Amino acid sequence: MTFLKHWWLALFRVLTILGVGAALGFYFGSIASGLLVALMVVLLYWSYQMFRVEQWLSEVAEEPPQAAGVWGLLFDYIHRLQSQSAEAQGRLESSLHYLQDSLKSMRDAAIITDPWGNIAWMNDSAGSLLGISLDKDEGRPLVSKMRLPNFSDYLAVGDYQVPLRIPPSSEQKRCLQVEVSTFGGGDKLIFIKDITEQYKLEMMRRDFVGNVSHELRTPLTVLKGYVENLQSLDSELVSKIQRPLVQMDMQVVRMEVLLKDLLWLSRIETIEGADKTLPIYMTDLVAEIIEDLRAAYPERKIDTHLEHDDVILGDATELHSAVSNLVVNALKYSGHDDLVTVEWKLDAGFPTLTVRDEGEGIKPQHIPRLTERFYRVDKSRSQATGGTGLGLAIVKHVAVSHNAELLIDSVYGQGSVFSMVFKPHQKGTQAALQ
Ligand code: ADP
């Protein structure tokens, strides 16, 4: 029977009781008194049922009290809701336990903080990796417990898109990577990974490339000297091998450029984490580069719009190499009559360097890989223009170490735009993208 039918039945019962009350009242000479007594009976019954509901709910008894009619239906209805909500709560609790168990079993440290940065939960790895414990430190500010360089700045800034990398220091011997995500009403889930092994491997690779490049310079200088000497000799033999000698000279020059770029890249990588604190007048620096390039490429047209006067903090030599790499590329990969434009201005509030060309452009599938070492869209074309494939890798590293974003936009056949967008200076080394 539906609730409405029960309701009508209940109303009918109340009216019947009132009717009986009125009839008895009439019999005893006062209809009003009869009605009053009947009303009191109804009210007493309802109060009794409400009392039972209250008792049942407060005792959280399993089974609902037995009752007929609309009250019985109401009890069943509440009971059904109760069971559904208990089931949902059970499911929620078990998924919460499941999640906590999976976080617990992780080798990485996992910490949950409230919106104010106080420790709410952590797994065992957090304890062993960072020397903190849930028993002692629950409710305490995480930054006061973890004295890691740059960690509190990173948390406070609130931009967690790029993980924070904390290299080994005198206080702590491990290399850590911190990843933060915000959830709920501002709670934070913080993962801290021990990437010491990866860091050591990177260091070994960097040192290896640096050392090999350095060691190769001396034999190359000797080779270059001999080739030049041979070329200057005026003998019949030399005239016979003139072509191979020219080829050798060209290849030696290529190797020199390659070694120079490799050494430079390895130097930038080594000091990438160091704070860039010197004020750089980019307007002057860019103007100087363009003047040199106009002298080197007198037939080419280079326009400049240097509109932003403020200084940025950085390393002049690194910025010089990044800007000249971008402009030289724009000249190399565009036609003789194509215009190259260099801008230094505020874009959406950020100091931005833009190098624009009307050259051959780049197909979209190549763009994400351009900053990889030795990645070239067209190897033979790049070699013909004296490219090493390291130019954009250098630009990328300079950008990362200056907290700038390198943006590449290009339409194949129409030209390319390379921009370095300088974000407010943030302390600490962010994990390089490659
Ligand atoms: P490379 O020494 O070969 O120029 P880079 O690292 O500077 O090496 O550039 C990588 C590749 O990106 C180049 O080989 C070229 O194919 C492409 N590239 C760079 N700049 C431009 C540009 N302005 N227009 C078109 N292609 C470009």
Side-chain angles (χ1 to χ4, degrees):
M1 217 191 301
T2 63
F3 186 79
L4 200 65
K5 275 188 186 157
H6 272 290
W7 178 251
W8 281 117
L9 209 65
L11 196 67
F12 175 73
R13 278 196 195 123
V14 170
L15 289 177
T16 314
I17 293 171
L18 288 181
V20 172
L24 283 173
F26 178 72
Y27 182 74
F28 289 108
S30 168
I31 297 177
S33 308
L35 268 176
L36 200 69
V37 172
L39 209 63
M40 278 179 69
V41 169
V42 171
L43 280 178
L44 268 174
Y45 177 72
W46 279 22
S47 307
Y48 170 65
Q49 296 296 11
M50 276 194 250
F51 170 75
R52 291 176 74 196
V53 175
E54 200 272 331
Q55 281 293 98
W56 170 48
L57 291 181
S58 61
E59 284 168 14
V60 201
E62 274 291 305
E63 286 304 313
Q66 292 300 320
V70 75
W71 285 102
L73 207 70
L74 215 59
F75 291 160
D76 286 346
Y77 189 54
I78 295 175
H79 183 57
R80 212 167 45 240
L81 281 182
Q82 256 188 346
S83 335
Q84 278 170 0
S85 108
E87 254 173 51
Q89 193 173 343
R91 273 202 305 273
L92 209 67
E93 267 173 19
S94 73
S95 24
L96 205 69
H97 284 141
Y98 179 74
L99 267 178
Q100 279 198 347
D101 280 352
S102 59
L103 286 178
K104 246 186 188 158
S105 64
M106 281 180 69
R107 282 179 54 231
D108 301 332
I111 304 165
I112 295 177
T113 66
D114 65 17
W116 301 274
N118 300 317
I119 300 170
W121 182 86
M122 71 175 78
N123 64 1
D124 296 342
S125 307
S128 48
L129 188 66
L130 308 163
I132 48 181
S133 90
L134 193 58
D135 292 343
K136 274 201 312 212
D137 300 318
E138 189 175 356
R140 301 214 172 136
L142 179 64
V143 285
S144 71
K145 289 278 115 197
M146 276 176 37
R147 303 200 178 282
L148 296 176
N150 307 323
F151 178 67
S152 55
D153 287 349
Y154 181 74
L155 269 194
V157 169
D159 177 5
Y160 307 127
Q161 279 185 2
V162 183
L164 172 76
R165 183 182 277 207
I166 304 173
S169 62
S170 49
E171 290 114 57
Q172 60 99 24
K173 302 277 170 264
R174 282 180 282 214
C175 181
L176 302 175
Q177 181 161 304
V178 182
E179 284 168 32
V180 180
S181 36
T182 313
F183 67 100
D187 294 349
K188 290 188 182 73
L189 176 59
I190 301 167
F191 286 117
I192 303 180
K193 288 185 191 152
D194 182 350
I195 53 162
T196 314
E197 285 310 310
Q198 185 188 332
Y199 178 80
K200 278 185 187 160
L201 278 174
E202 271 173 29
M203 285 294 163
M204 270 167 60
R205 180 193 52 79
R206 191 178 299 175
D207 290 350
F208 177 76
V209 173
N211 291 338
V212 168
S213 315
H214 192 74
E215 291 302 320
L216 280 177
R217 279 176 78 180
T218 318
L220 205 62
T221 315
V222 175
L223 214 67
K224 192 168 192 286
Y226 277 124
V227 172
E228 276 170 7
N229 276 346
L230 272 174
Q231 276 182 313
S232 64
L233 286 181
D234 188 16
S235 82
E236 206 181 315
L237 174 69
V238 170
S239 64
K240 277 186 188 156
I241 55 165
Q242 194 59 39
R243 261 175 69 85
L245 279 180
V246 171
Q247 288 288 324
M248 275 170 75
D249 190 41
M250 271 166 54
Q251 295 303 327
V252 167
V253 171
R254 261 199 68 207
M255 273 176 76
E256 265 188 338
V257 177
L258 190 66
L259 287 187
K260 192 173 93 342
D261 275 2
L262 271 174
L263 275 171
W264 181 231
L265 189 58
S266 132
R267 179 188 169 267
I268 295 174
E269 282 181 319
T270 314
I271 55 162
E272 195 172 280
D275 278 345
K276 313 286 180 208
T277 47
L278 287 178
I280 310 291
Y281 292 89
M282 279 294 275
T283 315
D284 294 350
L285 188 128
V286 176
E288 194 187 304
I289 294 170
I290 300 304
E291 206 181 305
D292 290 348
L293 287 176
R294 277 185 183 138
Y297 297 80
E299 74 290 1
R300 297 298 305 269
K301 193 162 166 7
I302 310 175
D303 267 6
T304 51
H305 302 280
L306 311 178
E307 295 163 8
H308 180 52
D309 286 336
D310 282 355
V311 293
I312 56 163
L313 297 181
D315 178 314
T317 327
E318 286 186 18
L319 288 168
H320 188 288
S321 91
V323 177
S324 38
N325 263 313
L326 288 179
V327 185
V328 169
N329 273 354
L331 291 166
K332 272 192 328 195
Y333 298 107
S334 60
H336 192 269
D337 298 326
D338 292 335
L339 173 71
V340 169
T341 313
V342 182
E343 293 168 357
W344 171 244
K345 58 181 184 186
L346 277 185
D347 195 353
F350 299 117
T352 304
L353 177 100
T354 309
V355 180
R356 203 183 299 273
D357 67 63
E358 300 170 342
E360 58 197 56
I362 308 156
K363 288 184 182 160
Q365 68 267 31
H366 296 295
I367 292 181
R369 301 198 56 193
L370 289 184
T371 56
E372 287 173 20
R373 290 173 186 83
F374 300 113
Y375 188 84
R376 281 166 285 194
V377 173
D378 178 351
K379 204 167 175 178
S380 51
R381 166 104 171 81
S382 163
Q383 279 176 359
T385 53
T388 59
L390 291 171
L392 289 180
I394 291 174
V395 176
K396 176 81 192 189
H397 277 280
V398 174
V400 168
S401 69
H402 284 78
N403 201 35
E405 199 178 347
L406 176 66
L407 304 175
I408 305 174
D409 196 9
S410 187
V411 179
Y412 186 57
Q414 289 186 24
S416 314
V417 184
F418 288 74
S419 312
M420 278 171 87
V421 185
F422 291 81
K423 299 285 165 69
H425 216 65
Q426 212 184 76
K427 285 175 109 193
T429 313
Q430 299 209 326
L433 295 178
Q434 38 151 325

